[in-house]
Amino acid sequence: MRVLPPAARPRLLWAVILGAVLAAFACTAAAFTRSGTPWPAVALLALLYLGCELVRICPLPGNRVPVPEGSGSLFPVLLAAVFLLPPGAAALVALPGAFAQRVVRRPAPVRRVWHAAQQAVAAWAAGRTFGLLGGAPSAGRLADFPYALLPAAAAAAAFCLVLAALDGGVLAAAERRPVRTAWRGLLTRSLVPHCVHGLAGLMMAVLWRSPYGLPAALLVLLPMYISCWVFAQYHRERAAHQATIRALVQAVELKDRYTRGHGERVGQASAMIARELGMDGDRLEVVRIAGILHDVGKLGVPTRLLRKDGPLTPEERRVIELHPEYGHEMVRGIGFLGEARSAILHHHERVDGSGYPYGLTGEQIPVPARVVAVADAFDAMTSTRSYSRARPVPVALAELERCAGAHFDPVMVHALVEAIGRDGWHPVVTADEDDLQVIPGTAPGRPAAPDAAAPDPGGPALSGLPAQGARPRVRTADPGNGREPDGGGGA
């Protein structure tokens, strides 16, 4: 479960969580009402699952950093319980380990309850699937290893499906995501790992029932723990990547104080466009990082030019137009950025060929660069700088649509308009809290129009926006207008 944003729908979110908790109660109640529940095995497996989770989240030898949240759980023990116990008893086994999982984001108690509820429901569903396909111990098929593979695979798939369904439900409720995107990628990313855990759990169950007993079953956990350690190292590497990105962004913002938060907002808008276009996973993350780092080349531009009030001279414009190439050179050796490097280099290109640095046209411009160009122009028009005042979000979107096909890729502009019209615009970082423009989501389609009583955004009075220095001019996406070399192309 992710951080709950300001736009969360609390009632629906709590309904999803409460529904999962009630379902977990119903699943575990069967263990108490059914006679013949093997309580010693339930207690032993529950303690084993709890111990595995505690060992997994503790700092590893030679490393003081614990396993990051979100790096997965050691599910073979839980799936072994699915194969060895009745469904209700298997659901009980999930509770101690789920409550022990590492939680670093608030509200921690709610997150722990959520983890416990979804794992209990998933274990019950997996147990029912395993039993219906003839894999339950009572059918005498568990020890016959080849014949147990199909029921075990189906049970692991059911376990994964329930977890993904519940995660998608809480994402749709908490982050106001459309149903068609809330579940996108959840099942495909986790199906293979859960099937591997299911195979390990089946081997544990088979060895448990064999003459070798519990000691042999525990041997299965060693390679799984090693794989968990490798996965944790991967997450630590990703955390180091994020720290590198933050350091570069902070360096840019220290140099150009008027664009504080600009990179984060462009990254947020770029991710909205990418998600609307159907990107997910690593592809979406590359676009988001490209938006965050697109202006890193400004570290090579003289500070006096970045902070200058008013328009630039032709000579100063040529100097600033070098920042995409500076940025590309700065990040050339950072391998994990991938396609983000091309977006840093080409985010000021225009589809009609009038952009820079190389005058690329249309499809010649990399897709991430076309996404970032729209997001960059959008934030440049909707945030206040030393040289211009912010424009209302609907007016900025209308300006982007006017320039679509000439300056910007119409597909990217349409994606941003649709995403903001449906989900609203909730910038996570702003240059000034007084300039925060939060636009709530509306029905699918165009975003809400500006208030008819509001002053003309092109006029001298923009309500609630302070003037800085000389009277600023209003930016548009037109070439030659505004402070940046490409006008609305943005700082």
Side-chain angles (χ1 to χ4, degrees):
M1 190 168 65
R2 302 184 181 182
V3 178
L4 306 184
R9 293 174 283 186
R11 292 182 181 177
L12 181 57
L13 176 62
W14 284 110
V16 172
I17 296 175
L18 182 60
V21 170
L22 293 177
F25 272 115
C27 293
T28 56
F32 297 96
T33 58
R34 176 179 175 177
S35 60
T37 298
W39 291 109
V42 172
L44 182 57
L45 284 165
L47 288 174
L48 186 58
Y49 185 42
L50 173 62
C52 288
E53 287 298 322
L54 292 176
V55 170
R56 190 185 68 85
I57 65 176
C58 287
L60 299 167
N63 196 330
R64 298 181 179 180
V65 182
V67 175
E69 183 185 13
S71 60
S73 296
L74 200 59
F75 284 137
V77 175
L78 182 54
L79 288 168
V82 167
F83 304 141
L84 289 168
L85 303 174
L92 273 178
V93 170
L95 298 181
F99 276 115
Q101 288 175 12
R102 184 169 180 260
V103 174
V104 297
R105 288 176 287 184
R106 296 180 293 177
V110 176
R111 292 178 183 275
R112 293 184 189 280
V113 170
W114 170 254
H115 289 319
Q118 70 172 163
Q119 289 185 29
V121 174
W124 181 89
R128 289 286 296 170
T129 302
F130 189 67
L132 290 174
L133 294 178
S138 59
R141 299 281 294 279
L142 181 60
D144 198 353
F145 179 71
Y147 296 101
L149 282 174
L150 180 58
F159 185 83
C160 176
L161 182 61
V162 172
L163 289 181
L166 291 174
D167 276 336
V170 83
L171 284 176
E175 299 186 1
R176 301 192 64 185
R177 291 194 188 180
V179 174
R180 66 185 179 87
T181 61
W183 280 276
R184 180 182 294 158
L186 289 177
L187 184 61
T188 54
R189 286 195 301 266
S190 57
L191 184 58
V192 172
H194 282 95
C195 286
V196 173
H197 285 196
L199 179 60
L202 179 61
M203 294 186 67
M204 280 192 67
V206 170
L207 290 172
W208 189 304
R209 294 283 182 178
S210 73
Y212 303 103
L214 178 61
L218 293 179
L219 291 177
V220 177
L221 294 178
L222 180 60
M224 295 304 300
Y225 181 77
I226 293 174
S227 68
C228 183
W229 179 83
V230 171
F231 196 48
Q233 295 299 105
Y234 165 74
H235 275 266
R236 292 191 183 97
E237 185 177 354
R238 285 180 62 90
H241 294 170
Q242 296 297 327
T244 301
I245 293 169
R246 285 195 299 271
L248 290 171
V249 171
Q250 288 171 359
V252 174
E253 292 179 350
L254 285 173
K255 186 164 187 175
D256 187 5
R257 64 179 181 270
Y258 291 115
T259 59
R260 181 168 60 89
H262 171 65
E264 292 287 346
R265 294 192 301 274
V266 173
Q268 181 183 358
S270 298
M272 292 177 69
I273 296 172
R275 192 176 292 115
E276 189 71 19
L277 295 174
M279 300 182 192
D280 57 17
D282 291 341
R283 178 77 164 170
L284 188 148
E285 183 66 8
V286 163
V287 172
R288 188 185 72 85
I289 292 174
I292 292 174
L293 292 181
H294 72 284
D295 271 344
V296 67
K298 287 188 174 180
L299 291 173
V301 176
T303 304
R304 62 178 179 81
L305 298 185
L306 297 177
R307 298 186 180 183
K308 180 181 179 181
D309 292 334
L312 299 169
T313 66
E315 293 77 14
E316 292 169 336
R317 186 182 301 273
R318 282 193 290 271
V319 172
I320 284 192
E321 285 180 352
L322 294 173
H323 81 270
E325 295 175 278
Y326 290 158
H328 185 258
E329 287 300 315
M330 289 176 185
V331 301
R332 181 190 292 274
I334 306 179
F336 72 86
L337 291 179
E339 283 186 295
R341 295 193 294 268
S342 67
I344 292 171
L345 178 61
H346 297 296
H347 71 277
H348 280 298
E349 304 283 5
R350 291 176 175 170
V351 295
D352 63 1
S354 63
Y356 63 90
Y358 301 130
L360 302 183
T361 62
E363 297 295 326
Q364 294 178 335
I365 306 172
V367 171
R370 280 180 268 157
V371 172
V372 172
V374 173
D376 186 22
F378 171 73
D379 185 68
M381 287 188 285
T382 56
S383 57
T384 293
R385 308 289 173 83
S386 62
Y387 49 84
S388 64
R389 289 172 176 166
R391 308 190 75 177
V393 168
V395 175
L397 292 176
E399 182 68 18
L400 289 174
E401 288 184 311
R402 186 181 70 83
C403 297
H407 299 174
F408 310 111
D409 188 328
V411 175
M412 311 304 174
V413 173
H414 179 73
L416 181 63
V417 171
E418 290 295 310
I420 292 180
R422 181 185 60 252
D423 302 329
W425 173 241
H426 307 275
V428 291
V429 184
T430 58
D432 191 324
E433 290 184 0
D434 294 335
D435 302 331
L436 178 63
Q437 294 192 67
V438 177
I439 305 297
T442 61
R446 293 295 305 274
D451 190 343
D456 181 2
L462 284 177
S463 176
L465 299 178
Q468 298 183 17
R471 177 180 171 184
R473 297 181 294 113
V474 175
R475 262 168 301 173
T476 72
D478 247 0
N481 290 328
R483 162 71 165 72
E484 280 294 312
D486 66 342

